[in-house]
Amino acid sequence: MARKTIVAGNWKMNMTPTQTAELIETLKPLVVSDYSDVVLCVPAIDIPAAVAAAKGSNIEIGAENLYFEDKGAYTGEISADMLLDAGAKYVIIGHSERREYFGETDETVNKKVLKAIEKGLTPIICCGETLTQREQGITIDWVRQQIKIAFQNVTADQAKATVIAYEPIWAIGTGKTATSDQAEEVCGAIRQCIKEVYGDAVAEEIRIQYGGSVNAGNAAELFAKPDIDGGLVGGASLKPDFSKIVNYK
Ligand code: PGA
């Protein structure tokens, strides 16, 4: 079964609601694609403006985080219901920046994945190693562990509709992209891990992105690899050039 490419922008802490509307108006006619699904994951405050601007286009809107409780006394947090009501369809979970600066662990990632799935948001589940871990030769062990914990208590049917983003931390925002062979090696290992846990059908269906300094110049080579089904794109998703990543062929 051929998997459809999924290219998702991760805007991080950039763009005001006003700027959001402007950029999406610019992108809308450019990101039309026969072979890529297009998602923009934006700051929560930008979601209503993004949904309004993207209306009638092929762009789906996602969030960059959620909290795993339904509601209550969690000052500053945002629930799955809030995101859904605002029109988000996807949510990034466990980005390395959230793990590094905001104390997220594999366990909180798992809780958030379960909540997103329960509510009907598609999680984009992030994993990836540091440069030290790569040099220690533990990349694949590390990423397998992240994936196995992230998917605790997720059923096979639920798992196949999720998206995984492999993002080596040393490649994020550094301009140091993993080579397509390095990226394929780990994305292939992730698919193998999913196969061991859930079997062939889920492993064939689940989409695995590469992220880390993806740009218009390297997307085609990366996405041509058999186990790489698109990208999670930070810096390059803030510019009209994002459309060249979406239309990489
Ligand atoms: P980058 O970010 O494309 O700017 O390296 C990717 C990400 O953090 O998702």
Side-chain angles (χ1 to χ4, degrees), residues 168-185:
I169 295 169
W170 48 270
I172 295 177
T174 58
K176 257 173 91 178
T177 323
T179 66
S180 55
D181 286 341
Q182 285 173 322
E184 169 61 18
E185 183 194 9

Side-chain angles (χ1 to χ4, degrees), residues 19-36:
Q19 293 168 331
T20 295
E22 288 166 4
L23 179 54
I24 293 180
E25 288 302 335
T26 307
L27 285 174
K28 245 185 346 189
L30 305 177
V31 296
V32 176
S33 169
D34 293 336
Y35 52 84
S36 299

Side-chain angles (χ1 to χ4, degrees), residues 30-73:
L30 305 177
V31 296
V32 176
S33 169
D34 293 336
Y35 52 84
S36 299
D37 287 335
V38 184
V39 183
L40 291 174
C41 296
V42 304
I45 192 109
D46 295 339
I47 291 172
V51 169
K55 204 163 176 229
S57 78
N58 59 322
I59 302 173
E60 298 279 20
I61 302 303
E64 299 175 10
N65 183 30
L66 87 173
Y67 194 54
F68 52 75
E69 295 291 351
D70 283 338
K71 60 182 189 165

Side-chain angles (χ1 to χ4, degrees), residues 10 12 95-97 167 171-175 211-214 232-236:
N10 172 13
K12 310 194 179 185
H95 190 279
S96 62
E97 287 150 17
E167 298 202 303
I172 295 177
T174 58
S213 299
V214 174
L232 184 57
V233 184

Side-chain angles (χ1 to χ4, degrees), residues 82 96 127 163 175:
M82 294 172 191
S96 62
C127 60
V163 178

Side-chain angles (χ1 to χ4, degrees), residues 129-147:
E129 81 289 0
T130 63
L131 187 57
T132 306
Q133 289 166 333
R134 176 159 285 268
E135 286 167 358
Q136 289 167 335
I138 62 167
T139 296
I140 286 172
D141 302 304
W142 178 260
V143 169
R144 282 175 59 92
Q145 176 169 316
Q146 287 183 315
I147 292 297

